[in-house]
Amino acid sequence: MDCVGYHTAMTTLLAVETSASLCSLAILVDGDWIEDTQNVERAHNQVVLGNLEALRCRAGIGPGDFTAVAFAAGPGSFTGIRIAAALAQGVAFGCGAGVVPVSSSLALALAGRRHPELPADAAGLITVTRSRRDACYLAAFRLTAAGQIPVREMDDVLHQGTDRPGRLPGSGWVGVGDRPDWWPDERPFLDSVAVTARLVGELALPAVAANDLLPPEAALPVYVSGDSPWQPAPR
């Protein structure tokens, strides 16, 4: 795609989020966010490069002008987080840029933190991300002052089965993400929360500002202990 009017900025950040059904890209240039978010289900690989090229032209920047790339590194869709990592690596290598892997569960918690239906007295958020039919990733984040990024209380774990896990925080904690069947009816759950690339980019900004960037080869997906999409072949 041809586009004109290239300009450069001291920091030009590309953010990528493909760890769920959304294919979301955002570019921060000259202090302004330019975004493209589409619900593509499992077609990320078919649209992400074309979407990036179109967004780059909208932003008026050249192909080699990115100075940092942030991406949602997981946990999430096995294929989706690999697409984000591969795109981050490719762009960063091509531009000589650094990368910032961002926790997908932290991005989900931040989206829940900003959700208008979050109860005012919520103490924290339990993120739930579907892995497979009877498995999900869980993490917990404590809420502090308004506008602050949630603080991680429990690392990402894989929960399998239909029984409610026994290690979740108590009352006052709200669920967010993919509501599981075992979630108790009396506890609030935010199941209409979208994580966009802009959220991922915002979480990466402190590292970008501090120039705490990783080399492109460090753009790797995050996998949770005990989880694998591969199943043994039948004997």
Side-chain angles (χ1 to χ4, degrees), residues 56-92:
R56 180 185 64 76
C57 285
R58 283 175 52 197
I61 60 174
D65 285 346
F66 294 110
T67 56
V69 185
F71 70 102
S77 159
F78 177 75
T79 302
I81 60 175
R82 288 164 68 91
I83 289 172
L87 182 61
Q89 280 193 16
V91 171

Tab-separated table of all heavy atoms in Angstrom, residues 56-92:
chain	number	residue	atom	x	y	z
A	56	ARG	N	-0.625	2.170	9.645
A	56	ARG	CA	0.609	2.930	9.491
A	56	ARG	C	0.418	4.108	8.535
A	56	ARG	O	0.908	5.222	8.786
A	56	ARG	CB	1.720	2.011	8.982
A	56	ARG	CG	3.051	2.718	8.786
A	56	ARG	CD	4.085	1.798	8.166
A	56	ARG	NE	3.726	1.383	6.817
A	56	ARG	CZ	3.837	2.159	5.747
A	56	ARG	NH1	4.282	3.402	5.866
A	56	ARG	NH2	3.512	1.705	4.560
A	57	CYS	N	-0.307	3.884	7.471
A	57	CYS	CA	-0.572	4.980	6.533
A	57	CYS	C	-1.454	6.048	7.170
A	57	CYS	O	-1.240	7.248	6.960
A	57	CYS	CB	-1.229	4.426	5.272
A	57	CYS	SG	-0.090	3.552	4.181
A	58	ARG	N	-2.440	5.633	7.954
A	58	ARG	CA	-3.268	6.604	8.671
A	58	ARG	C	-2.425	7.447	9.619
A	58	ARG	O	-2.675	8.652	9.792
A	58	ARG	CB	-4.369	5.897	9.455
A	58	ARG	CG	-5.554	5.420	8.636
A	58	ARG	CD	-6.518	4.626	9.487
A	58	ARG	NE	-6.905	5.358	10.702
A	58	ARG	CZ	-7.477	4.780	11.770
A	58	ARG	NH1	-7.724	3.476	11.759
A	58	ARG	NH2	-7.791	5.503	12.815
A	59	ALA	N	-1.437	6.815	10.227
A	59	ALA	CA	-0.583	7.527	11.176
A	59	ALA	C	0.426	8.421	10.470
A	59	ALA	O	1.034	9.289	11.102
A	59	ALA	CB	0.137	6.530	12.080
A	60	GLY	N	0.646	8.195	9.168
A	60	GLY	CA	1.583	9.016	8.418
A	60	GLY	C	3.025	8.764	8.763
A	60	GLY	O	3.839	9.683	8.776
A	61	ILE	N	3.351	7.495	9.047
A	61	ILE	CA	4.734	7.166	9.390
A	61	ILE	C	5.293	6.162	8.393
A	61	ILE	O	4.544	5.415	7.747
A	61	ILE	CB	4.851	6.600	10.825
A	61	ILE	CG1	4.033	5.320	10.974
A	61	ILE	CG2	4.409	7.637	11.845
A	61	ILE	CD1	4.220	4.640	12.305
A	62	GLY	N	6.592	6.142	8.270
A	62	GLY	CA	7.246	5.232	7.352
A	62	GLY	C	7.362	3.828	7.918
A	62	GLY	O	7.236	3.609	9.127
A	63	PRO	N	7.646	2.840	7.048
A	63	PRO	CA	7.728	1.445	7.497
A	63	PRO	C	8.796	1.196	8.554
A	63	PRO	O	8.667	0.275	9.364
A	63	PRO	CB	8.052	0.682	6.200
A	63	PRO	CG	7.597	1.577	5.108
A	63	PRO	CD	7.822	2.973	5.597
A	64	GLY	N	9.842	2.016	8.592
A	64	GLY	CA	10.920	1.789	9.542
A	64	GLY	C	10.943	2.742	10.706
A	64	GLY	O	11.960	2.844	11.401
A	65	ASP	N	9.835	3.444	10.953
A	65	ASP	CA	9.834	4.518	11.945
A	65	ASP	C	9.462	4.091	13.363
A	65	ASP	O	9.531	4.913	14.278
A	65	ASP	CB	8.873	5.634	11.517
A	65	ASP	CG	9.438	6.479	10.385
A	65	ASP	OD1	10.653	6.366	10.119
A	65	ASP	OD2	8.684	7.233	9.757
A	66	PHE	N	9.058	2.858	13.563
A	66	PHE	CA	8.690	2.440	14.915
A	66	PHE	C	9.941	2.350	15.784
A	66	PHE	O	10.956	1.778	15.393
A	66	PHE	CB	7.979	1.087	14.901
A	66	PHE	CG	6.641	1.120	14.221
A	66	PHE	CD1	6.453	0.494	12.993
A	66	PHE	CD2	5.570	1.780	14.799
A	66	PHE	CE1	5.228	0.517	12.362
A	66	PHE	CE2	4.344	1.816	14.178
A	66	PHE	CZ	4.169	1.193	12.948
A	67	THR	N	9.849	2.915	16.981
A	67	THR	CA	10.976	2.871	17.909
A	67	THR	C	10.756	1.857	19.039
A	67	THR	O	11.700	1.520	19.752
A	67	THR	CB	11.220	4.257	18.520
A	67	THR	OG1	10.011	4.721	19.143
A	67	THR	CG2	11.626	5.251	17.448
A	68	ALA	N	9.523	1.399	19.210
A	68	ALA	CA	9.218	0.395	20.229
A	68	ALA	C	7.965	-0.363	19.810
A	68	ALA	O	7.083	0.193	19.146
A	68	ALA	CB	9.004	1.043	21.595
A	69	VAL	N	7.898	-1.627	20.197
A	69	VAL	CA	6.742	-2.472	19.894
A	69	VAL	C	6.311	-3.172	21.179
A	69	VAL	O	7.110	-3.862	21.818
A	69	VAL	CB	7.050	-3.527	18.819
A	69	VAL	CG1	5.781	-4.299	18.464
A	69	VAL	CG2	7.652	-2.888	17.573
A	70	ALA	N	5.049	-2.971	21.563
A	70	ALA	CA	4.474	-3.657	22.722
A	70	ALA	C	3.481	-4.687	22.230
A	70	ALA	O	2.790	-4.460	21.233
A	70	ALA	CB	3.796	-2.653	23.646
A	71	PHE	N	3.393	-5.799	22.927
A	71	PHE	CA	2.432	-6.822	22.512
A	71	PHE	C	1.923	-7.582	23.728
A	71	PHE	O	2.630	-7.720	24.734
A	71	PHE	CB	3.068	-7.802	21.511
A	71	PHE	CG	4.116	-8.713	22.095
A	71	PHE	CD1	3.824	-10.037	22.390
A	71	PHE	CD2	5.397	-8.245	22.366
A	71	PHE	CE1	4.784	-10.882	22.930
A	71	PHE	CE2	6.364	-9.079	22.899
A	71	PHE	CZ	6.059	-10.400	23.183
A	72	ALA	N	0.674	-8.028	23.624
A	72	ALA	CA	0.093	-8.858	24.672
A	72	ALA	C	0.690	-10.251	24.549
A	72	ALA	O	0.454	-10.964	23.572
A	72	ALA	CB	-1.426	-8.903	24.539
A	73	ALA	N	1.474	-10.648	25.552
A	73	ALA	CA	2.292	-11.853	25.459
A	73	ALA	C	1.607	-13.100	26.004
A	73	ALA	O	2.152	-14.192	25.922
A	73	ALA	CB	3.605	-11.635	26.201
A	74	GLY	N	0.404	-12.955	26.572
A	74	GLY	CA	-0.279	-14.094	27.138
A	74	GLY	C	-0.371	-13.979	28.653
A	74	GLY	O	0.174	-13.041	29.248
A	75	PRO	N	-1.100	-14.914	29.244
A	75	PRO	CA	-1.695	-16.089	28.610
A	75	PRO	C	-2.919	-15.737	27.773
A	75	PRO	O	-3.549	-14.702	27.989
A	75	PRO	CB	-2.072	-16.978	29.805
A	75	PRO	CG	-2.345	-16.014	30.910
A	75	PRO	CD	-1.379	-14.882	30.702
A	76	GLY	N	-3.204	-16.625	26.829
A	76	GLY	CA	-4.342	-16.418	25.953
A	76	GLY	C	-4.371	-17.492	24.899
A	76	GLY	O	-3.814	-18.582	25.085
A	77	SER	N	-5.012	-17.182	23.781
A	77	SER	CA	-5.074	-18.120	22.674
A	77	SER	C	-3.671	-18.542	22.254
A	77	SER	O	-2.801	-17.698	22.020
A	77	SER	CB	-5.801	-17.468	21.491
A	77	SER	OG	-5.489	-18.112	20.279
A	78	PHE	N	-3.448	-19.850	22.148
A	78	PHE	CA	-2.120	-20.357	21.795
A	78	PHE	C	-1.638	-19.747	20.486
A	78	PHE	O	-0.509	-19.253	20.379
A	78	PHE	CB	-2.160	-21.887	21.682
A	78	PHE	CG	-0.857	-22.506	21.243
A	78	PHE	CD1	0.207	-22.606	22.116
A	78	PHE	CD2	-0.701	-22.980	19.947
A	78	PHE	CE1	1.414	-23.178	21.716
A	78	PHE	CE2	0.492	-23.549	19.538
A	78	PHE	CZ	1.547	-23.650	20.420
A	79	THR	N	-2.496	-19.748	19.475
A	79	THR	CA	-2.118	-19.183	18.181
A	79	THR	C	-2.053	-17.663	18.244
A	79	THR	O	-1.144	-17.036	17.681
A	79	THR	CB	-3.106	-19.619	17.090
A	79	THR	OG1	-3.135	-21.049	17.013
A	79	THR	CG2	-2.720	-19.061	15.737
A	80	GLY	N	-3.004	-17.046	18.938
A	80	GLY	CA	-3.083	-15.592	18.986
A	80	GLY	C	-1.851	-14.939	19.580
A	80	GLY	O	-1.336	-13.954	19.045
A	81	ILE	N	-1.350	-15.478	20.682
A	81	ILE	CA	-0.177	-14.852	21.297
A	81	ILE	C	1.083	-15.107	20.473
A	81	ILE	O	2.008	-14.296	20.472
A	81	ILE	CB	0.025	-15.286	22.767
A	81	ILE	CG1	0.227	-16.793	22.890
A	81	ILE	CG2	-1.156	-14.827	23.613
A	81	ILE	CD1	0.544	-17.250	24.310
A	82	ARG	N	1.111	-16.195	19.731
A	82	ARG	CA	2.248	-16.444	18.843
A	82	ARG	C	2.239	-15.468	17.666
A	82	ARG	O	3.294	-15.024	17.198
A	82	ARG	CB	2.223	-17.900	18.354
A	82	ARG	CG	2.588	-18.894	19.452
A	82	ARG	CD	2.190	-20.316	19.084
A	82	ARG	NE	2.977	-20.834	17.985
A	82	ARG	CZ	4.113	-21.515	18.109
A	82	ARG	NH1	4.613	-21.732	19.327
A	82	ARG	NH2	4.743	-21.993	17.067
A	83	ILE	N	1.046	-15.131	17.181
A	83	ILE	CA	0.940	-14.141	16.104
A	83	ILE	C	1.455	-12.789	16.591
A	83	ILE	O	2.221	-12.108	15.901
A	83	ILE	CB	-0.509	-14.036	15.610
A	83	ILE	CG1	-0.895	-15.302	14.831
A	83	ILE	CG2	-0.711	-12.795	14.736
A	83	ILE	CD1	-2.355	-15.374	14.458
A	84	ALA	N	1.021	-12.377	17.788
A	84	ALA	CA	1.470	-11.092	18.330
A	84	ALA	C	2.976	-11.072	18.525
A	84	ALA	O	3.651	-10.082	18.198
A	84	ALA	CB	0.754	-10.803	19.649
A	85	ALA	N	3.534	-12.153	19.058
A	85	ALA	CA	4.973	-12.217	19.286
A	85	ALA	C	5.737	-12.183	17.967
A	85	ALA	O	6.758	-11.492	17.837
A	85	ALA	CB	5.326	-13.477	20.071
A	86	ALA	N	5.248	-12.926	16.971
A	86	ALA	CA	5.914	-12.946	15.676
A	86	ALA	C	5.870	-11.575	15.005
A	86	ALA	O	6.860	-11.117	14.418
A	86	ALA	CB	5.279	-14.001	14.772
A	87	LEU	N	4.717	-10.899	15.097
A	87	LEU	CA	4.602	-9.570	14.505
A	87	LEU	C	5.523	-8.584	15.217
A	87	LEU	O	6.211	-7.778	14.575
A	87	LEU	CB	3.148	-9.089	14.582
A	87	LEU	CG	2.861	-7.723	13.945
A	87	LEU	CD1	3.191	-7.744	12.460
A	87	LEU	CD2	1.410	-7.336	14.169
A	88	ALA	N	5.560	-8.663	16.548
A	88	ALA	CA	6.440	-7.775	17.310
A	88	ALA	C	7.901	-8.007	16.932
A	88	ALA	O	8.663	-7.057	16.733
A	88	ALA	CB	6.234	-7.989	18.805
A	89	GLN	N	8.298	-9.283	16.833
A	89	GLN	CA	9.675	-9.581	16.446
A	89	GLN	C	9.997	-9.037	15.061
A	89	GLN	O	11.030	-8.404	14.841
A	89	GLN	CB	9.908	-11.092	16.455
A	89	GLN	CG	10.153	-11.680	17.815
A	89	GLN	CD	10.689	-13.101	17.737
A	89	GLN	OE1	11.147	-13.537	16.682
A	89	GLN	NE2	10.638	-13.813	18.842
A	90	GLY	N	9.105	-9.292	14.097
A	90	GLY	CA	9.360	-8.879	12.728
A	90	GLY	C	9.483	-7.376	12.586
A	90	GLY	O	10.416	-6.875	11.941
A	91	VAL	N	8.545	-6.641	13.187
A	91	VAL	CA	8.586	-5.182	13.098
A	91	VAL	C	9.822	-4.641	13.809
A	91	VAL	O	10.514	-3.753	13.302
A	91	VAL	CB	7.302	-4.572	13.676
A	91	VAL	CG1	7.420	-3.049	13.786
A	91	VAL	CG2	6.090	-4.941	12.822
A	92	ALA	N	10.100	-5.178	14.997
A	92	ALA	CA	11.233	-4.678	15.772
A	92	ALA	C	12.563	-4.943	15.062
A	92	ALA	O	13.443	-4.070	15.016
A	92	ALA	CB	11.235	-5.300	17.162
